Amino acid sequence: MGHNTRMDQEEETWNQKKQNLIQDLARKIIHGDLDTKIQAAKDIRKLAKSSVKTRSSFAAAGVIQPLVSMLLSSNLDATEAALLALLNLAVRNERNKVRIVASGAVPPLVDLLKFQNGSLRELATAAILTLSASASNKPTIAASGVAPHLVQILSSGSVQGKVDAVTALYNLSTCTENCTPILPAGAVPPLLVLLKECRKYSKFAEKTTALLEILSNHEEGRSAISDTNGGILTLVETIEDGSLISTEHAVGVLLSLCQSCRNKYRELILKEGAIPGLLRLTVEGTTKAQEKARTLLDLLRDTPPQRRLASEVLESIVYDIATRVDGADKAAETAKKLLQDMVHRSMELSMSRLQLRAASCTPSEMPPA
């Protein structure tokens, strides 16, 4: 029992020391000269790492407003020290995120995104990402004109900068109070490049495809997607290799294109060999993805026979067999099994065999549904 009491006393002493240190650093950041403020900001950054409670204690001691004021300093060391301190104060602390934005941090952060100084620009991007995770901050940040600067980072930032910019744009795109789209159509080419280069199964791909789906709801965005070299192919590859979420968004993009102007986009989508991935999605995707894939297949299917492409012939044959064998209800499931069988071999070689099967197949020869 005595051991526990001693431990409790030691913890209390340590907490008191920490509290005194927090108060001391708050005095320095509020009243000190520039050098004192810079050192205090560095110390706040270190100490703020330790716990959510410490971060809250710093906020209660009044350090946020003076740190935000330091972001406006012409001294880059002061700006960087303040930025790093604010980042640590915001991590996993919703109230601090709100306080930082309420203290006027967004305009100086947007200014820092215009900077040529790479490290400060990346830190500002990380700060916008962190602060935009809070729902109540989204309207303020979305209205600040930050989006074009984040889009620029998609092309010119470091790998981490690009990841942070995509995530920040994703956070802002879910801002329900912001009716006007915050994403400029100029975001399309860099987003498609990033999607092409990243692992299609990653969280990053999920956010990138989500942004592309938002952009595909506007004519400018749709044109930018089809005008970008390899853009539609990248979306088709995502449907084939992506996670449940990224495939859902990717098929949503293609559906949006095809619904807006079937004549313009249909051939472009078919040419990239979208049918097999869409067929698989009708069975393996999320409920929304299945629905979107079926709708898109219907839009892609109906064409004059002489203009049908190989992939479309394949798709109609598979559905024809599946419907005759198992009826319309189970057609998608049977089609999936047939398709998996074909994907393992060369599709061109499978074509003639499939056509023969379509003409002569009986239910007993088919795999059980």
Side-chain angles (χ1 to χ4, degrees), residues 58-91:
F58 268 123
V63 304
I64 286 176
Q65 187 64 64
L67 284 169
V68 168
S69 300
M70 280 173 75
L71 294 178
L72 298 161
S73 173
S74 56
N75 182 310
L76 297 187
D77 288 340
T79 307
E80 185 172 338
L83 196 39
L84 288 164
L86 286 166
L87 264 169
N88 279 6
L89 289 169
V91 172

Side-chain angles (χ1 to χ4, degrees), residues 181-321:
I182 68 131
L183 277 167
V188 167
L191 283 171
L192 284 168
V193 168
L194 291 170
L195 182 59
K196 183 178 180 157
E197 291 172 354
C198 76
R199 285 181 300 111
K200 305 292 184 288
Y201 218 85
S202 61
K203 292 278 180 201
F204 182 70
E206 292 175 0
K207 292 184 173 76
T208 306
T209 47
L211 292 174
L212 286 164
E213 187 171 18
I214 291 165
L215 283 156
S216 73
N217 293 322
H218 308 281
E219 185 50 47
E220 273 181 71
R222 289 190 288 271
S223 296
I225 290 163
S226 62
D227 291 346
T228 300
N229 189 27
I232 289 175
L233 176 60
T234 298
L235 290 160
V236 169
E237 287 170 347
T238 306
I239 286 170
E240 290 169 355
D241 303 327
S243 68
L244 285 172
I245 294 171
S246 52
T247 52
E248 183 183 307
H249 291 309
V251 73
V253 176
L254 296 182
L255 179 59
S256 186
L257 262 60
C258 213
Q259 283 178 326
S260 72
C261 183
R262 190 167 166 277
N263 291 341
K264 180 178 175 182
Y265 294 112
R266 204 182 143 279
E267 293 292 336
L268 294 174
I269 295 169
L270 283 172
K271 196 174 73 182
E272 300 300 0
I275 299 291
L278 290 172
L279 274 168
R280 202 173 76 236
L281 210 54
T282 61
V283 181
E284 292 180 355
T286 62
T287 308
K288 276 186 186 173
Q290 289 182 18
E291 201 178 300
K292 289 174 181 177
R294 287 192 195 106
T295 309
L296 182 54
L297 281 166
D298 284 341
L299 286 168
L300 296 175
R301 191 163 41 200
D302 178 28
T303 47
Q306 71 273 18
R307 291 185 61 209
R308 285 196 168 184
L309 301 173
S311 60
E312 212 181 353
V313 176
L314 183 65
E315 178 257 343
S316 63
I317 292 168
V318 171
Y319 263 119
D320 184 42
I321 297 169

Side-chain angles (χ1 to χ4, degrees), residues 35-215:
D35 286 343
T36 306
K37 284 175 187 274
I38 292 171
Q39 189 52 53
K42 288 177 179 176
D43 292 339
I44 289 169
R45 176 202 177 189
K46 281 180 202 159
L47 207 55
K49 281 182 184 175
S50 59
S51 69
V52 173
K53 192 177 173 184
T54 305
R55 295 193 272 279
S56 298
S57 298
F58 268 123
V63 304
I64 286 176
Q65 187 64 64
L67 284 169
V68 168
S69 300
M70 280 173 75
L71 294 178
L72 298 161
S73 173
S74 56
N75 182 310
L76 297 187
D77 288 340
T79 307
E80 185 172 338
L83 196 39
L84 288 164
L86 286 166
L87 264 169
N88 279 6
L89 289 169
V91 172
R92 292 194 294 280
N93 194 310
E94 186 72 14
R95 190 174 287 181
N96 280 2
K97 286 176 190 171
V98 174
R99 281 171 170 161
I100 290 166
V101 168
S103 299
V106 175
L109 286 174
V110 174
D111 284 340
L112 288 172
L113 289 180
K114 302 172 193 171
F115 245 53
Q116 294 313 303
N117 182 317
S119 64
L120 278 177
R121 194 170 72 146
E122 308 258 311
L123 287 173
T125 308
I128 292 285
L129 157 61
T130 305
L131 298 172
S132 64
S134 165
S136 53
N137 284 343
K138 286 179 188 183
T140 307
I141 300 172
S144 69
V146 72
H149 305 297
L150 291 171
V151 168
Q152 210 168 10
I153 289 164
L154 298 183
S155 306
S156 61
S158 67
V159 174
Q160 189 57 53
K162 288 172 181 178
V163 171
D164 289 351
V166 165
T167 311
L169 285 166
Y170 175 79
N171 287 347
L172 296 175
S173 71
T174 58
C175 172
T176 48
E177 292 175 44
N178 187 41
C179 301
T180 55
I182 68 131
L183 277 167
V188 167
L191 283 171
L192 284 168
V193 168
L194 291 170
L195 182 59
K196 183 178 180 157
E197 291 172 354
C198 76
R199 285 181 300 111
K200 305 292 184 288
Y201 218 85
S202 61
K203 292 278 180 201
F204 182 70
E206 292 175 0
K207 292 184 173 76
T208 306
T209 47
L211 292 174
L212 286 164
E213 187 171 18
I214 291 165
L215 283 156

